């Protein structure tokens, strides 16, 4: 159902504004009439159903996507309540402000020689270690990190690399929560669907994203 009503083509640029109007209308219809018997019990069920970001092509349309993305967020949170998982409270004060700030950078693309890694590498490596305890997380096994740059980064930061379970997003969320990060940085939201779906949940008191 979601593919039928939401998936948009990269290549069909005719009547773009009308396409976007129809997409928003479809989202609103799904919010109202999506059968409760077809709701997704777990985040993993939802991931297995969609596999990709169905509206990723909107990024290339040179339009303001705020209204569509807010409506889509409400739809996803409705049909998959597990996305609303809360592991910690939002914005809670740190207990010991004399301790280092514990921050984790999260993206599947940090373990590949990607533009995301190249763009975020500076801040990951240059944050002052006297103030920050810096980790990074992805789903890739260390032995599978093969890129020249990504392998170099892993070898430098292997002590602080967190391999998340790829086939169990519920467990992946709990792993991040267990680390008690002060800040969780999503290096991109939408380029890969697993981090995108996990970003719906509250896994750290402060969660931010970058432009990727």
């Amino acid at each position: 159902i979601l593919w039928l009503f939401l998936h948009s083509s990269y290549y069909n640029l005719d009547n773009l504004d009308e396409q976007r109007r129809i997409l928003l209308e479809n989202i609103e219809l799904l919010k109202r009439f999506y059968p409760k018997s077809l709701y997704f019990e777990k985040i993993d069920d939802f991931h297995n159903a969609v596999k990709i970001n169905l509206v990723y092509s909107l990024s290339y349309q040179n339009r303001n996507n705020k209204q569509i993305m807010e409506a889509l967020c409400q739809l996803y949170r409705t049909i998959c309540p597990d996305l609303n998982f809360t592991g910690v409270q939002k914005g809670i004060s740190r207990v010991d402000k004399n301790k280092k700030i514990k921050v984790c950078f999260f993206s599947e693309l940090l373990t590949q020689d990607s533009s995301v890694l190249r763009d975020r590498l500076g801040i990951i490596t240059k944050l002052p270690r006297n103030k920050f305890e810096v980790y990074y997380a992805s789903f890739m096994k260390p032995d599978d990190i093969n890129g020249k740059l990504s392998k170099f980064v892993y070898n430098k930061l292997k002590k602080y690399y967190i391999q998340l379970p790829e086939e169990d997003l519920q467990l992946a969320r709990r792993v991040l929560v267990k680390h008690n990060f002060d800040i969780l940085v999503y290096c991109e939201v939408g380029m890969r669907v697993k981090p995108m779906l996990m970003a719906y949940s509250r896994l750290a008191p402060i969660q931010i994203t970058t432009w990727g």
Side-chain angles (χ1 to χ4, degrees), residues 42-54:
K42 300 192 302 182
I43 183 176
D44 298 276
D45 299 330
F46 191 45
H47 169 260
N48 291 333
V50 296
K51 292 294 186 183
I52 66 168
N53 182 354
L54 297 174

Side-chain angles (χ1 to χ4, degrees), residues 77-93:
R77 289 186 182 279
T78 298
I79 64 177
C80 183
D82 188 36
L83 293 179
N84 302 306
F85 170 81
T86 300
V88 297
Q89 288 183 301
K90 178 181 178 181
I92 57 175
S93 299

Side-chain angles (χ1 to χ4, degrees), residues 10-194:
Y10 287 89
Y11 307 107
N12 183 9
L13 301 179
D14 297 332
N15 302 313
L16 190 58
D17 290 326
E18 177 65 9
Q19 289 185 52
R20 292 169 61 86
R21 184 195 67 78
I22 293 172
L23 173 60
L24 183 58
E25 187 176 272
N26 285 343
I27 294 172
E28 296 297 337
L29 287 171
L30 286 169
K31 282 165 59 179
R32 292 174 60 191
F33 300 113
Y34 198 94
K36 288 190 175 181
S37 61
L38 298 180
Y39 278 15
F40 300 91
E41 181 180 353
K42 300 192 302 182
I43 183 176
D44 298 276
D45 299 330
F46 191 45
H47 169 260
N48 291 333
V50 296
K51 292 294 186 183
I52 66 168
N53 182 354
L54 297 174
V55 297
Y56 187 61
S57 61
L58 298 183
S59 305
Y60 298 93
Q61 293 180 356
N62 195 29
R63 300 288 195 278
N64 188 327
N65 296 321
K66 182 172 184 271
Q67 185 179 11
I68 293 176
M69 297 309 295
E70 286 181 341
L72 188 67
C73 175
Q74 293 171 5
L75 170 64
Y76 283 2
R77 289 186 182 279
T78 298
I79 64 177
C80 183
D82 188 36
L83 293 179
N84 302 306
F85 170 81
T86 300
V88 297
Q89 288 183 301
K90 178 181 178 181
I92 57 175
S93 299
R94 301 177 64 233
V95 176
D96 187 350
K97 294 185 178 180
N98 294 318
K99 287 187 176 181
K100 293 180 181 179
I101 297 171
K102 198 172 180 181
V103 57
C104 179
F105 292 82
F106 175 33
S107 172
E108 288 188 61
L109 296 169
L110 291 178
T111 47
Q112 304 173 32
D113 284 3
S114 64
S115 60
V116 172
L117 174 61
R118 290 183 173 90
D119 186 75
R120 312 316 188 267
L121 183 57
I123 191 168
I124 292 173
T125 57
K126 299 300 183 183
L127 277 176
R129 276 7 188 213
N130 63 327
K131 294 182 179 180
F132 294 90
E133 188 175 337
V134 182
Y135 295 76
Y136 79 112
S138 188
F139 297 101
M140 190 173 290
K141 297 177 181 178
D143 290 344
D144 293 334
I145 301 175
N146 297 318
K148 184 177 180 180
L149 179 60
S150 54
K151 191 69 173 179
F152 173 81
V153 172
Y154 171 74
N155 286 333
K156 290 291 184 181
L157 301 175
K158 65 174 64 179
K159 179 181 176 182
Y160 300 98
Y161 175 64
I162 301 169
Q163 182 199 335
L164 299 173
E166 188 171 16
E167 302 302 326
D168 190 338
L169 297 184
Q170 286 188 319
L171 178 57
R173 293 186 307 196
R174 293 196 297 272
V175 168
L176 289 175
V177 168
K178 189 175 181 180
H179 277 273
N180 293 314
F181 291 115
D182 298 300
I183 303 172
L184 179 58
V185 182
Y186 289 88
C187 297
E188 43 78 24
V189 171
M191 296 178 72
R192 293 290 186 272
V193 73
K194 290 176 184 176

